[in-house]
Amino acid sequence: MTPFEIGLIVLALMGLLVLLGMHVPIALIACSFLGVWAIKGSPLLASKMLGLAANDAITSYFFGVVPLFVLMGFLVSESGMGRDAFDVANSMFRRIKGGLGIGTIAANTIFAAITGISIASAAVFTKIAVPELRRHGYTTRFSVGVVAGSSVLGMLIPPSLLLILYGLLTEQSIGDLFVAGIGPGLLLAVLFGIGVLMMARFAPAMVGENLGQSDEQLTRAELFSKGLPITGLIALVLGGIYAGLFTPVEAGAIGTVGALIIGLAKGTLKPDNLWRVLVETGLVTAAVCFLIIAAQMYSRMLSFSGMPGAFGEMMATADLGLYGLLIIYVLVVILFGMILDSSSIMLILVPLMMPVVVPMGVDLVWFGIITVIAVEIGLLTPPFGISVYVIKSTLEDPDIKLSDIFIGAAPFALMMLICLAAVIFFPSIATGLVGR
């Protein structure tokens, strides 16, 4: 058998193992080992090559950005800044019809700028926003749907764990990816807000017929005390990166110290909470580390098989053009999102696509933003929809079914498709601030 045929068989085997329930990183590592062994004819050589790939994957200085931003996100979550962001946003939009929904989106946008993890946003705002929305007359489906939809902003607005992972996979500047995520992230937040306004006005049955105003009327002093720590932390981390004062890794460290100081000053970060934060950070970091090692091994196997080059030639001879290729790619990513989590989709598809899009002169920063938006749509699509499952488990309400959350999130998935189309056909939305 040729290396290409071996690569195809290994890829099919990996897909079968994933469908049978094996964890994606384990399937990637096992199949990569078997593939290199079959191509090179030596299990010892295969193990040494994959060992070198694993070492190369996590010895990079820039890998340090992962645990630092994860730790900062958990500190922010435990210190109560999510509640503060929700209170401030609702106070600003309380007089608008559907204002609590818009306030939830605004609060999630603010929270996303200091966490970078969609799952954290979904868990925090399920506890904070859903009870408030239902209490003020919003339907159950809308209440859980707006939280599910706006939670995906955590993976687009910087700092974003998915953008960090993409940067490590493609060796792109994480700082440039963070800057490129601002425009699409804000555009998506605005589309969500406009969508809620239109639903409240033209389809009140979806949102709620008799909506009450929020009773959170904060004084200027309360607005200042709740809003200043969040604003200051965002300015410290993102402002420092964009001004060139420090690298993303340094920004993660400084932001972590800032979040720790704020939490201790507010008195909301207790020793027990701090220990839980450290344990959860270790678990997430270990998981991401395992994913990156698996991705590096998978990429090495693909390069030995020659599949990416052959795939690139097929795309070139098919004469699809850039937009045709992107549309097919986005459809595949969204379909993968129905059965896999975000990181796994990127691990499988990005190494396969790099050799295809690089010869076409595609801006890899722009391609990364397209990838992240498409992947995030998968967080809201059945049957997997990890954000939906997080909300369901956090609610602990047997009356709210998974189908209710998926139906409530459907309009927001549609708005994400509109945002994705805008970024594809108007690349400056993502690359304008980067200066490309």
Side-chain angles (χ1 to χ4, degrees):
M1 279 191 292
T2 64
F4 179 76
E5 291 171 340
I6 292 172
L8 284 177
I9 293 171
V10 168
L11 203 61
L13 175 62
M14 184 186 65
L16 177 63
L17 291 176
V18 170
L19 290 175
L20 290 174
M22 182 178 286
H23 290 292
V24 172
I26 297 175
L28 282 173
I29 292 173
C31 291
S32 297
F33 175 77
L34 292 174
V36 176
W37 181 1
I39 292 169
K40 296 297 181 181
S42 169
L44 181 61
L45 184 60
S47 62
K48 287 183 177 180
M49 285 183 173
L50 295 181
L52 288 172
N55 182 67
D56 293 342
I58 57 173
T59 53
S60 170
Y61 165 75
F62 291 101
F63 182 77
V65 76
V66 175
L68 290 171
F69 274 108
V70 170
L71 177 56
M72 184 180 70
F74 281 124
L75 286 171
V76 165
S77 178
E78 288 291 337
S79 63
M81 290 191 204
R83 163 64 70 178
D84 290 345
F86 184 74
D87 291 343
V88 170
N90 280 337
S91 182
M92 294 171 61
F93 297 104
R94 62 188 296 271
R95 298 189 182 279
I96 301 174
K97 188 173 183 180
L100 268 178
I102 298 173
T104 301
I105 294 166
N108 244 322
T109 305
I110 297 168
F111 195 67
I114 45 178
T115 56
I117 307 173
S118 293
I119 294 174
S121 298
V124 168
F125 285 94
T126 297
K127 294 177 182 178
I128 296 171
V130 172
E132 286 293 307
L133 288 162
R134 296 176 73 187
R135 186 166 67 88
H136 286 89
Y138 291 79
T139 64
T140 298
R141 285 182 174 177
F142 176 83
S143 300
V144 293
V146 72
V147 171
S150 57
S151 70
V152 302
L153 293 167
M155 283 301 186
L156 186 57
I157 295 177
S160 160
L161 196 58
L162 272 189
L163 288 177
I164 292 171
L165 180 60
Y166 177 85
L168 292 172
L169 288 173
T170 60
E171 299 182 355
Q172 293 299 299
S173 166
I174 293 173
D176 285 351
L177 288 166
F178 280 0
V179 175
I182 295 176
L186 294 178
L187 172 62
L188 185 57
V190 170
L191 285 174
F192 282 165
I194 293 172
V196 169
L197 282 175
M198 293 181 66
M199 284 189 286
R201 182 176 179 85
F202 300 109
M206 294 176 63
V207 178
E209 298 286 356
N210 300 304
L211 303 181
Q213 290 184 352
S214 171
D215 48 15
E216 288 288 343
Q217 181 58 43
L218 303 179
T219 64
R220 288 188 177 182
E222 288 174 327
L223 282 172
F224 183 80
S225 65
K226 287 177 178 286
L228 182 62
I230 304 169
T231 306
L233 191 59
I234 294 171
L236 177 68
V237 176
L238 300 185
I241 294 174
Y242 304 149
L245 298 177
F246 33 75
T247 66
V249 178
E250 295 165 344
I254 292 170
T256 298
V257 173
L260 179 62
I261 292 172
I262 291 171
L264 294 174
K266 290 177 62 176
T268 53
L269 199 58
K270 307 297 182 183
D272 291 345
N273 294 352
L274 187 58
W275 175 251
R276 184 168 64 251
V277 163
L278 293 174
V279 171
E280 289 178 347
T281 299
L283 291 172
V284 172
T285 302
V288 173
C289 177
F290 197 40
L291 288 171
I292 293 174
I293 289 173
Q296 191 71 16
M297 291 181 175
Y298 171 64
S299 298
R300 197 68 57 94
M301 186 276 295
L302 286 178
S303 65
F304 286 145
S305 70
M307 281 185 61
F311 185 58
E313 290 180 10
M314 290 171 56
M315 292 296 103
T317 54
D319 197 25
L320 293 172
L322 176 59
Y323 290 113
L325 175 65
L326 285 176
I327 290 171
I328 293 174
Y329 173 65
V330 165
L331 289 175
V332 171
V333 171
I334 293 174
L335 288 173
F336 268 54
M338 295 181 180
I339 55 173
L340 295 174
D341 64 280
S342 304
S343 300
S344 300
I345 296 169
M346 293 187 70
L347 294 179
I348 294 170
L349 293 181
V350 169
L352 195 60
M353 288 298 297
M354 283 299 102
V356 178
V357 297
V358 170
M360 299 177 72
V362 172
D363 187 330
L364 293 184
V365 171
W366 172 60
F367 185 74
I369 300 300
I370 291 172
T371 299
V372 169
I373 297 174
V375 164
E376 288 298 281
I377 294 173
L379 291 182
L380 305 179
T381 53
F384 195 83
I386 189 168
S387 282
V388 172
Y389 282 91
V390 169
I391 290 171
K392 173 63 177 173
S393 62
T394 305
L395 278 173
E396 296 180 352
D397 186 343
D399 293 332
I400 300 178
K401 301 176 182 178
L402 277 173
S403 59
D404 293 326
I405 308 176
F406 278 121
I407 292 171
F412 297 94
L414 178 61
M415 294 174 218
M416 291 184 71
L417 283 173
I418 295 171
C419 178
L420 178 59
V423 173
I424 289 175
F425 292 106
F426 302 98
S428 58
I429 296 173
T431 59
L433 291 176
V434 185
R436 298 196 179 192

